[in-house]
Amino acid sequence: MAKLTLPQLERHLYAAADILRGMMDAADYQKYIFGMLFLKRCSDEFEATRGRIYADELRRTGSEARAQERAEDPDSYIDTFYIPELARWETIRRLVDDVGSGLNKALRAIEMRNDQELHGVTNHIDFNVTIGNVSLGDRRLRNLIWHFSRYRLRNEDFEFPDMLGAAYEYLLKQFADQGGKKGGQSYTPRPVVRMMCRLVAPQPGESVYDPCAGSGGMLILAREYVDEHDRDGTAGRRLALAGQELNGAAWAMAKMNMLLHGIRDSDLRNGDTLADPRHIDDGRLRLFDKIITNPPFSIGYDQAETRRHFGTRMRYGWTPGTGKKADLMFVQHMLAVLRPAGIAATVMPHGVLFRGGAEQDIRIGLLRDDCVEAVIGLPENLFYGTGIPTCILILRGPDGHREHAGQVLFINADREFAQGRAQNQLGFEHAEKIVTVYRQWRELDGYSRIVPVRELLAADANLNIRRWVDNTPPPEPQDVRAHLHGGVPEAEVAAAEGTFAAFGIRVGDLFAPSERRPGYLDFLPEGPEATAQRLADLAGPREAELRAAYRAWWDEHAKLLVELPDTRQLSKVRADLLDSFTKAVVDFGILDEFAAGGVVASWWGDTQYDLKSLAAGGFGRVVEGWAASIDALLAPDPGPDGKLKTKPAAERRKALDHKLVPHLLPDYLAELEAAEAAYAAADAAYKEALQESANQEDDDDGDEMDLDSLKADRTAAQRKRAKLEKQFLATLNMAVSSLTPAEECDLVLRILHEDLAARLDARITRARREMIVRFRTWADKYAVSLDDLETARQASSIRLANYLQALGYA
């Protein structure tokens, strides 16, 4: 049985939303999708475990009755939930009338049977809900059940471990995108969360806490971080996860999220973290090794209740309870539950860095106790529901030892983002740069700076990032003498000489020594535009050397990917590839270390699930997964009425454009392209003849025959194209099944190699364009001087005078 791929599962789950979309907002219908997913997953895992228990008991006793009895005993299920009969999927599939009540009873039955772990988790889901005057209804719910019946959701059905969790995260993001502020209020963009996990670097045996847990994503990705650094991918089980969330529905979704990720031992509590912290041991607040969180921005809090429940947490001061300034109260709570050697990373709005009053007093206390290790400025519009700039504070316990005592690292990364549709996005390359600079504790001009705490205290504890790291681009220099008299200042050229030298271009290739004025250079006689046109050719040899170095690097290091199914050390392979790639290309000077590292970081991030599949099942599983993803692109989806709908042409085109197809079916694609061209030509010829016939006044039998012939040609071309399109999947599957293991390995490596090479080419092209823009900027500024304009004016005046004289007006 072919493994279910992540793209297949993502499309399957997202298509389920189509059944409900339109009658309610994404923020509302997501709980019904997640509820149905929870029912299906629990039932499928139960059936798998039930089958094993039955088989083991039958083999041990030889009695079918005893095997059946053992399989129906709830005490037999340790790592899987016991599912009562009315909640099993076969029962759910038979629901016809009052389907909503049947689903509600199924959820409650699972919760009651597994109350210790599921108490309160399903209460927020009501399949009998009425939105306005419209309810979900039996027909729509039956369509939803039918849709979820299409795939089995057991661990053994997935191409890599925790694939269901990855698909769940995909759904959360899609719902956040669609729901805007309402849909995304409990969702932190995953690239930000993954970066925060790397900043605090949780280790097996430690505890991780999120005081504002939301959907639980931070805790889940902390565990994923630990798993990825372990050969067996199981070290995360030795990570103690704890969190608290005020919103009851969000808490329930977080619990469900954990369970769908296979995490059953997390300690998630529902309640107000400031007014009523719930993680208490022997009357004291529990301490944690690592904290990662994104508290709600600028909200009020109940000061009286907070003072009553462990008010000593707020050792640095109190902000007004009604002033929507709870941000630093959350920070103080984190420090109160952080072990002395622990580390915390929290998202904060920029205002906490510089506002006065009580917040200033709190910052002074934090700095005096050396609790602030780093302040990282993020781009604006990263988070759902707010476009304001944000930052990440890295905090250390007030009584612990610090390697960089008395210092605060400021990183200004507010320009490091990729533009998205609704939100800006933190790219893999941007996160890589932030993590590298933090771990190496480095200063980079216009990006990061290490500031002594005493200097910050002298500045009234103002932590405004731009005050300490100004990343405003420097103004373009303007040489007045060059503007007046011509030439390009040698000082400006010298400052940019390294940019051109990296591409093998010398100053003499760009300019000639000025014979008129020392300290200046002249454009070549060919003119600056002609020189600019030559720069790409001049850079060609150096770029070729860089690409050759890349190919040599790949030939040497591709073995790490070949060995991945055996080593399964994803994080180590990533680190080795990134480090060795950077060393291989950075000395050319075309890309700096962060641009080079960003190439591998973005490549790895975008192909991570292919690589997880490779580690879990080898190259064959990757190829099969790609083929299954193509099949999913072409498979019809159910509409709201449950009927299957053919995919639109754009979706079908995506299948042909999949990266596997040109490598595996080049001859087929060539034949299909020829057929499409033949049909286009035949269609154009027929339409042209039809138009000409319509413009003629007299009927002509010969023209009618020509039209019939052209129409027949078009029909034949259309049938040939349609026949080829129909054969696509069969041709693809035949090609996949005929591959040998060696060919599968070669194919996957070739595709991964070309993808990485294309990303490197894109960065080289970007660097080349920047180099050419640098030269064109000089041309725009200095190619025409005031002297040149004056000379041209005088020449024009003389010509005008001559014209007037010739006309007799002199």
Side-chain angles (χ1 to χ4, degrees), residues 289-358:
D289 298 295
K290 303 291 168 64
I291 299 174
I292 45 176
T293 190
N294 178 14
F297 294 166
S298 304
I299 62 169
Y301 71 104
D302 189 332
Q303 189 179 106
E305 284 299 303
T306 303
R307 286 182 182 274
R308 197 163 68 87
H309 292 92
F310 299 98
T312 54
R313 288 173 292 167
M314 311 307 170
R315 61 193 289 184
Y316 301 111
W318 295 82
T319 60
T322 58
K324 293 189 175 182
K325 293 182 179 179
D327 307 289
L328 289 182
M329 307 308 289
F330 281 111
V331 166
Q332 293 186 83
H333 169 77
M334 292 174 221
L335 291 172
V337 299
L338 188 63
R339 293 188 185 278
I343 179 172
T346 177
V347 180
M348 284 279 136
H350 265 208
V352 304
L353 301 177
F354 53 79
R355 287 194 295 248

Side-chain angles (χ1 to χ4, degrees), residues 298-599:
S298 304
I299 62 169
Y301 71 104
D302 189 332
Q303 189 179 106
E305 284 299 303
T306 303
R307 286 182 182 274
R308 197 163 68 87
H309 292 92
F310 299 98
T312 54
R313 288 173 292 167
M314 311 307 170
R315 61 193 289 184
Y316 301 111
W318 295 82
T319 60
T322 58
K324 293 189 175 182
K325 293 182 179 179
D327 307 289
L328 289 182
M329 307 308 289
F330 281 111
V331 166
Q332 293 186 83
H333 169 77
M334 292 174 221
L335 291 172
V337 299
L338 188 63
R339 293 188 185 278
I343 179 172
T346 177
V347 180
M348 284 279 136
H350 265 208
V352 304
L353 301 177
F354 53 79
R355 287 194 295 248
E359 289 178 297
Q360 182 181 21
D361 295 338
I362 293 172
R363 289 197 305 274
I364 290 172
L366 295 176
L367 290 171
R368 284 176 175 167
D369 281 356
D370 215 7
C371 296
V372 182
E373 180 168 77
V375 182
I376 302 169
L378 298 177
E380 61 183 15
N381 200 32
L382 272 186
F383 296 88
Y384 293 92
T386 178
I388 65 173
T390 54
C391 65
I392 292 175
L393 297 183
I394 306 296
L395 306 168
R396 291 284 188 175
D399 303 316
H401 171 73
R402 274 189 56 187
E403 181 181 356
H404 306 290
Q407 299 176 333
V408 176
L409 175 65
F410 285 83
I411 297 176
N412 192 347
D414 63 6
R415 295 179 182 272
E416 305 283 326
F417 65 91
Q419 288 186 328
R421 277 186 312 174
Q423 258 74 38
N424 291 327
Q425 298 171 355
L426 187 74
F428 295 105
E429 65 273 25
H430 309 130
E432 188 66 31
K433 184 175 182 180
I434 291 171
V435 172
T436 299
V437 169
Y438 169 73
R439 287 180 175 176
Q440 297 180 359
W441 203 255
R442 290 174 58 178
E443 290 190 314
L444 297 176
D445 186 39
Y447 186 79
S448 62
R449 180 183 169 193
I450 300 168
V451 183
V453 168
R454 64 178 182 276
E455 191 173 339
L456 296 170
L457 289 170
D460 299 322
N462 188 332
L463 304 182
N464 192 349
I465 299 169
R466 287 213 169 187
R467 174 170 183 158
W468 305 106
V469 185
D470 187 0
N471 62 355
T472 304
E476 180 66 32
Q478 303 290 340
D479 190 289
V480 176
R481 292 187 179 182
H483 281 302
L484 293 174
H485 307 298
V488 180
E490 287 184 350
E492 287 190 31
V493 175
E497 189 173 355
T499 299
F500 293 90
F503 286 93
I505 299 174
R506 299 164 299 138
V507 173
D509 296 323
L510 307 172
F511 304 102
S514 177
E515 297 179 356
R516 299 174 295 168
R517 300 174 56 234
Y520 291 82
L521 299 169
D522 288 333
F523 290 104
L524 297 176
E526 65 182 2
E529 181 57 32
T531 304
Q533 294 287 346
R534 289 191 298 109
L535 290 180
D537 291 335
L538 290 173
R542 186 65 169 167
E543 292 180 16
E545 292 177 14
L546 175 52
R547 292 186 177 95
Y550 161 70
R551 288 191 294 271
W553 168 84
W554 177 267
D555 291 342
E556 180 180 353
H557 291 86
K559 63 184 180 183
L560 295 176
L561 297 175
V562 175
E563 297 165 354
L564 192 55
D566 296 322
T567 65
R568 289 182 288 177
Q569 294 182 315
L570 284 163
S571 289
K572 184 177 185 304
V573 170
R574 179 189 184 276
D576 289 346
L577 291 176
L578 193 148
D579 182 60
S580 59
F581 177 87
T582 301
K583 290 177 180 177
V585 304
V586 76
D587 286 344
F588 286 84
I590 294 176
L591 307 181
D592 66 24
E593 61 175 301
F594 297 108
V599 171

